[in-house]
Amino acid sequence: MSNIQTANQLHRMGITVWVFITPILPGITDVDLMINAIDQDIPVFLDKVRLKRNTRPALKLERFIDNHYPHLAKTYKDIIYNNTDVYYEDIKEKWGKTERVKFVFESSN
């Protein structure tokens, strides 16, 4: 059973649940698919990749992207080294009017 199915089942049983989709990996995480699969009255919190340049996690992610998603390498370099938020701005544009969707990344930089 997937985490989404479990959250939906618990919710239907009357247990309060909420969903965090984090980190959103541009070009990899299908945010639309995930949000649409979650029961409509379950709150959803979205957060972005948070990595500091030249740290071990950032370098590991870069290597992973280079090896498995080379077509996304520039996107991830922009996120890590230039703090580019274009992908997240697109998500905010699409889901920002949905009351149940909250954006963790709005309050930080």
Side-chain angles (χ1 to χ4, degrees):
M1 180 177 285
S2 76
N3 291 342
I4 291 174
Q5 291 170 322
T6 301
N8 288 340
Q9 184 176 17
L10 290 170
H11 175 72
R12 291 174 193 145
M13 293 169 58
I15 298 170
T16 301
V17 297
W18 56 92
V19 173
F20 279 87
I21 301 174
T22 183
I24 297 170
L25 298 173
I28 300 170
T29 305
D30 191 335
V31 174
D32 296 343
L33 180 71
M34 294 174 82
I35 291 174
N36 288 324
I38 299 164
D39 283 355
Q40 293 299 306
D41 43 346
I42 295 176
V44 177
F45 296 85
L46 304 175
D47 201 5
K48 64 183 179 178
V49 174
R50 297 173 185 275
L51 295 172
K52 294 186 185 207
R53 64 176 46 205
N54 298 321
T55 61
R56 179 173 283 162
L59 295 171
K60 284 177 81 170
L61 179 60
E62 277 188 83
R63 235 180 351 264
F64 175 80
I65 295 300
D66 287 342
N67 290 331
H68 299 282
Y69 300 92
H71 63 285
L72 297 174
K74 182 185 178 331
T75 298
Y76 282 83
K77 285 181 186 359
D78 283 346
I79 290 168
I80 294 168
Y81 295 102
N82 301 322
N83 199 26
T84 302
D85 282 351
V86 173
Y87 180 79
Y88 305 109
E89 292 301 322
D90 290 345
I91 291 171
K92 282 172 49 178
E93 179 71 28
K94 180 166 189 169
W95 292 102
K97 294 181 175 113
T98 307
E99 192 169 310
R100 74 183 180 121
V101 176
K102 308 291 184 221
F103 301 93
V104 177
F105 53 83
E106 281 185 333
S107 62
S108 62
N109 248 350

